[in-house]
Amino acid sequence: MEKMIEKVTTLLEALPYIKEFYGKTVVIKYGGNAMINEDLKEGFAQDVVLLKYVGINPVIVHGGGPQIGELLKKLNIESRFVGGMRVTDRETMNVVEMVLVGKVNKEIVKLINSHGGNAVGLSGKDGNLIVAEKIDHVKYLQEVNAPEIIDLGFVGRVKKVNPDIVNRLLESKFIPVIAPVGIGEDFEAYNINADLVAGEMAAALKAEKLIMLTDVEGIKNKEGELIKSLKRQELSKLISNGTISGGMIPKVKACEIALTGGVKKAHIIDGRVKHSILLEMFTQEGIGTEII
């Protein structure tokens, strides 16, 4: 009987948060180990479906870098990175689109639907959802005291999000799953950082929350201790002093974009913890780092 009462108590603890977020939109960036480990994949899908059934609107934005690299290797196409970005010629872009839109996206849709959800896959091309513009990498050459512009090929950034198609799907009780491929004004496809797509999507949808699943606990200080809560205004200082570095920078930038665009809270949480989304949303303690 005590165990049964504990279960009811847990449900009651979640009730105020269910009421608070009922009818609201939550954008979830899905990536890292949570996309690879089978147990974590199942837990992610269950979390997303539960959110939908209690009246919350999840929108999923996913990555797929390792899967792209794996197929490029099988096809004997060299992977080259400049400033952390994949140089993407037309042949590579075809592979990127094939993997993100044709494989990874459909696998996530199938996963969610197999747990009772009603997911629909999209890319930025659908309904001009993500309008992209080409970016180049600028490298400063000290020896000639001048910048060098490196052409990254079909690598872009978000110029504009047209959220109509996503809003229509949410109104019809679907769960949108979005691949980070944008469409340029030249009608070419562009590979875009999934973290930044998630931030822009959250801002465009005026989401209540942005949740970033990562392979770390959250943002840590110089002593390696988890920072539970941060203000948006503190982020630039933490980047400049090296507290936030490497792969955490685009995740933090995504949170900054979302918050500047009107999202109330952003969270960087450990996707290696099963049911991390529910732990963040429906418990008083939460997990990871919240940015407000």
Side-chain angles (χ1 to χ4, degrees):
M1 182 61 74
E2 285 182 9
K3 286 186 178 179
M4 292 173 67
I5 292 170
E6 273 183 35
K7 289 180 180 179
V8 172
T9 303
T10 302
L11 286 172
L12 290 173
E13 183 184 351
L15 181 58
Y17 302 104
I18 293 171
K19 289 168 66 178
E20 181 182 355
F21 301 130
Y22 183 84
K24 305 288 178 61
T25 296
V26 175
V27 174
I28 301 166
K29 161 61 199 327
Y30 181 43
N33 206 42
M35 280 184 72
I36 300 167
N37 179 283
E38 290 299 324
D39 198 34
L40 294 175
K41 285 165 65 174
E42 298 296 314
F44 164 79
Q46 291 167 344
D47 288 5
V48 168
V49 171
L50 190 147
L51 291 181
K52 194 66 178 179
Y53 273 102
V54 298
I56 299 166
N57 296 318
V59 175
I60 314 303
V61 176
H62 65 85
Q67 294 91 330
I68 293 168
E70 186 180 330
L71 184 55
L72 287 171
K73 188 175 180 180
K74 286 180 181 177
L75 296 172
N76 292 316
I77 300 172
E78 182 187 4
S79 288
R80 190 160 69 91
F81 292 86
V82 175
M85 292 177 282
R86 187 188 299 277
V87 178
T88 307
D89 59 16
R90 189 173 296 281
E91 186 179 28
T92 303
M93 188 62 222
N94 289 337
V95 174
V96 167
E97 196 166 5
M98 186 191 312
V99 172
L100 290 178
V101 182
K103 184 175 186 292
V104 176
N105 187 274
K106 302 312 173 193
E107 286 176 353
I108 297 169
V109 167
K110 178 184 175 183
L111 178 67
I112 293 170
N113 289 349
S114 71
H115 285 81
N118 204 5
V120 174
L122 299 168
S123 80
K125 286 183 170 182
D126 296 307
N128 287 323
L129 173 59
I130 303 168
V131 179
E133 59 183 357
K134 178 179 168 59
I135 59 173
D136 294 309
H137 179 71
V138 179
K139 179 182 178 183
Y140 185 74
L141 298 175
Q142 194 170 8
E143 59 271 20
V144 295
N145 195 30
E148 177 191 14
I149 298 175
I150 301 170
D151 186 359
L152 298 171
F154 296 97
V155 176
R157 61 173 156 244
V158 178
K159 183 177 181 181
K160 184 182 179 185
V161 173
N162 296 307
D164 289 356
I165 189 170
V166 176
N167 284 324
R168 287 178 182 272
L169 288 170
L170 293 176
E171 288 167 7
S172 301
K173 311 302 181 188
F174 289 103
I175 300 170
V177 179
I178 301 167
V181 173
I183 184 75
E185 292 181 347
D186 54 2
F187 299 103
E188 296 281 6
Y190 285 88
N191 184 17
I192 310 177
N193 181 286
D195 293 333
L196 300 180
V197 169
E200 296 281 4
M201 190 63 58
L205 293 169
K206 303 300 178 190
E208 184 75 10
K209 283 179 180 285
L210 168 65
I211 297 176
M212 312 285 290
L213 296 182
T214 68
D215 285 342
V216 294
E217 286 181 81
I219 298 172
K220 294 184 178 181
N221 61 23
K222 295 273 191 174
E223 289 71 44
E225 300 164 331
L226 179 67
I227 303 172
K228 293 286 288 181
S229 185
L230 282 169
K231 292 183 179 178
R232 178 172 60 88
Q233 294 82 353
E234 298 176 77
L235 297 177
S236 57
K237 180 182 177 181
L238 292 175
I239 292 172
S240 62
N241 69 20
T243 302
I244 296 171
S245 61
M248 185 58 74
I249 291 177
K251 294 176 184 2
V252 166
K253 290 287 187 186
C255 294
E256 196 168 24
I257 289 166
L259 294 166
T260 303
V263 176
K264 290 185 180 177
K265 280 188 181 181
H267 304 264
I268 297 175
I269 68 173
D270 193 345
R272 299 170 302 176
V273 176
K274 194 172 182 181
H275 300 304
S276 56
I277 297 170
L278 299 186
L279 287 169
E280 172 49 51
M281 291 202 62
F282 296 147
T283 65
Q284 188 172 351
E285 297 82 7
I287 63 171
T289 302
E290 69 167 12
I291 306 170
I292 58 175

